[in-house]
Amino acid sequence: MTDAAALQERTRALLAAHPPATTDRLDFLRARYDAGLAWVHYPVGLGGLDAPRSLQAVVDAELAAAGAPDNDPRRIGIGLGMAAPTLLAYGSDEVRSRFLRPLWTGEEVWCQLFSEPGAGSDLAALGTRAVRDGDDWVVDGQKVWTSSAHTARWAILIARTDPDLPKHRGITYFVCDMTDPGVEVRPLRQITGEAEFNEVFLTGVRIPDAHRLGETGDGWRVAQTTLMNERVSIGGARIPREGGMIGKAAAVWRERPALRTHALHRDLLALWVDAEVARLTGERLRQQLVAGQPGPEGSAMKLGFARLNQAISGLEVELLAEDGLVYDDWTMRRPELVDFTGRDAGYRYLRSKGNSIEGGTTEVLLNIVAERVLGLPPEPRNDKDVPWKDLAR
Ligand SMILES: Cc1cc2nc3c(=O)[nH]c(=O)nc-3n(C[C@H](O)[C@H](O)[C@H](O)COP(=O)(O)OP(=O)(O)OC[C@H]3O[C@@H](n4cnc5c(N)ncnc54)[C@H](O)[C@@H]3O)c2cc1C
């Protein structure tokens, strides 16, 4: 039985054996994983202790008090938030043991090869092909909007393995080696000036069948695990009260009394309350997650996150008056992570435009909430029984 006291004791033993002040960061993270204190709800041997997820807070508090290094979760968000739950749910023992440890320690960055030029919201229409060749699959196609492809060592990939079946049924899910010579990554410059995401061209990429997740043809179901977790991980980061974007806008208000008006005050207060409601809703969602996989509620959370980020960053630019038009850096950087609070107001304003597109657009998430949370009639879907090869493209 692993309870809070036992976890506290285990964490203290880890700290005593590997004092953070004198232990190399990576050595500490590997030791933490091996002690089952990485994600306590994961199985024994895979960085966890089969303990309730809620007890992670006990470990984190002990480690933070001792000044222990963390695994820089923002840098490896796709791995932690999306690849890991899918590997855990569908990977073989070998696959889980091979990939989860370096994923968690941040030694190996992951990216998500899902969207294509002709398949975004309608992801199941994707055309990247995977053809079986002996013990391998050979993959050809093009992906787009792939965040972190330029830093990633591995990717989660969905590809079409049977074009004769309707679009949702002929898809298979793989782990793709980003160092394969057939993988070409090209930057895509965004409205912010950065190239945080990429086009990825796949030409004759070989993937061993052992790196398939789930059954052949069952990739759509496997992808749901990734997508449900993606929505929670995009909108669901834990932040303190008045943390994140609202903290930045409130700071401008406090620091620049000359720019205050009643109307701006009213808008700021309304957004402050909305941000606090969203923060507390996130806490509740995390508590629900303790009980299992995220459901469509994650879509509602992500919807709110996108709206709020856009509204708050818009208000911050307004509060700054003409200073809000100044942009700190147009260099085409290739960032490793999205840092909403590390840059200026203009960056936040421009970058948050993507929040209502990434991880499912606002319109598509509204459909999910309408159908799966509110039980409203579904959208007409006339193509779901038509073989993929016969669909108009
Ligand atoms: C910052 C950022 C990072 C991203 N990172 C990744 C990544 O790492 N990996 C990855 O695979 N993808 C990534 N994406 C891609 C993202 O998932 C897609 O852009 C998104 O799913 C929308 O697809 P699309 O761009 O093809 O737009 P489309 O699907 O063509 O949509 C165009 C418009 O039509 C609307 N629309 C479409 N269908 C419906 C419908 N049924 N009902 C009502 N309206 C509809 C949409 O809401 C949208 O306004 C990223 C996107 C962004 C912006």
Side-chain angles (χ1 to χ4, degrees):
M1 173 70 187
T2 308
D3 58 15
L7 275 178
Q8 205 167 34
E9 200 177 307
R10 203 176 172 89
T11 311
R12 286 179 185 168
L14 170 77
L15 288 163
H18 307 274
T22 52
T23 307
D24 172 71
R25 176 176 177 274
L26 201 50
D27 289 343
F28 183 86
L29 293 174
R30 288 177 180 154
R32 178 175 162 189
Y33 185 95
D34 295 339
L37 298 170
W39 31 31
V40 296
H41 59 294
Y42 269 51
V44 173
L46 295 175
L49 295 167
D50 286 307
R53 192 172 183 150
S54 54
L55 291 180
Q56 186 68 46
V58 175
V59 175
D60 292 349
E62 284 290 324
L63 293 175
D70 70 11
N71 59 351
D72 199 357
R74 290 181 315 159
R75 193 177 72 88
I76 51 173
I78 294 175
L80 291 176
M82 289 142 69
T86 317
L87 290 163
L88 183 67
Y90 292 98
S92 63
D93 288 347
E94 294 75 41
V95 160
R96 292 153 145 212
S97 304
R98 160 64 188 87
F99 291 117
L100 286 172
R101 190 176 188 251
L103 179 159
W104 187 85
T105 58
E107 287 162 84
E108 292 180 344
V109 173
W110 285 68
C111 68
Q112 179 197 23
L113 292 171
F114 278 26
S115 304
E116 296 183 4
S121 301
D122 188 12
L123 183 60
L126 62 89
T128 292
R129 283 282 277 127
V131 177
R132 186 76 190 243
D133 181 24
D135 288 340
D136 290 346
W137 294 84
V138 180
V139 181
D140 287 279
Q142 186 197 340
K143 298 289 177 175
V144 74
W145 318 128
T146 318
S147 308
S148 306
H150 52 291
T151 54
R153 172 70 183 80
W154 298 99
I156 41 177
L157 163 77
I158 46 178
R160 186 154 307 278
T161 43
D162 191 344
D164 293 327
L165 290 175
K167 61 181 180 179
H168 292 95
R169 279 188 256 150
I171 294 172
T172 303
Y173 199 120
F174 300 97
V175 170
C176 174
D177 183 347
M178 292 297 285
T179 65
D180 185 287
V183 175
E184 188 194 344
V185 176
R186 295 188 200 160
L188 281 175
R189 196 170 191 197
Q190 297 154 236
I191 192 174
T192 54
E194 299 185 325
E196 162 202 317
F197 52 31
N198 306 271
E199 311 180 271
V200 179
F201 296 85
L202 306 163
T203 313
V205 175
R206 295 196 84 84
I207 299 182
D209 187 52
H211 288 178
R212 171 172 45 80
L213 299 185
E215 297 301 318
T216 302
D218 204 24
W220 186 250
R221 193 161 67 95
V222 182
Q224 294 316 302
T225 300
T226 311
L227 295 174
M228 291 301 171
N229 279 286
E230 175 174 18
R231 280 152 203 168
V232 178
S233 65
I234 289 182
R238 176 171 274 137
I239 46 169
R241 175 178 281 190
E242 211 182 282
M245 284 218 192
I246 194 67
K248 291 284 179 186
V252 175
W253 175 263
R254 291 184 185 115
E255 286 157 14
R256 299 188 173 220
L259 299 173
R260 292 175 188 171
T261 65
H262 284 300
L264 288 174
H265 192 216
R266 184 199 56 213
D267 293 349
L268 178 65
L269 285 181
L271 287 174
W272 195 98
V273 171
D274 286 351
E276 183 60 6
V277 170
R279 190 181 76 82
L280 295 174
T281 309
E283 280 300 325
R284 202 168 62 169
L285 191 66
R286 269 185 292 278
Q287 285 165 16
Q288 281 171 0
L289 275 181
V290 170
Q293 286 293 331
E297 305 81 10
S299 299
M301 177 81 209
K302 199 253 150 181
L303 264 174
F305 164 83
R307 275 190 190 154
L308 205 53
N309 269 3
Q310 291 172 359
I312 296 172
S313 59
L315 181 70
E316 190 188 353
V317 168
E318 213 178 325
L319 283 171
L320 285 163
E322 65 268 29
D323 288 347
L325 298 175
V326 179
Y327 196 69
D328 62 354
D329 186 0
W330 282 112
T331 319
M332 192 184 99
R333 295 191 289 186
R334 302 281 275 148
E336 280 195 57
L337 52 88
V338 179
D339 184 5
F340 272 119
T341 49
R343 296 273 305 272
D344 73 0
Y347 171 80
R348 280 187 280 287
Y349 179 74
L350 295 177
R351 179 58 184 82
S352 64
K353 298 296 172 207
N355 289 157
S356 48
I357 304 172
E358 59 194 314
T361 68
T362 287
E363 292 75 17
V364 166
L365 297 186
L366 282 171
N367 280 345
I368 292 177
V369 171
E371 292 176 22
R372 297 182 49 198
V373 180
L374 303 176
L376 295 175
E379 262 197 297
R381 294 185 177 96
N382 304 327
D383 59 358
K384 72 180 180 14
D385 297 318
V386 181
W388 176 83
K389 65 176 174 23
D390 298 334
L391 292 175
R393 270 187 291 284

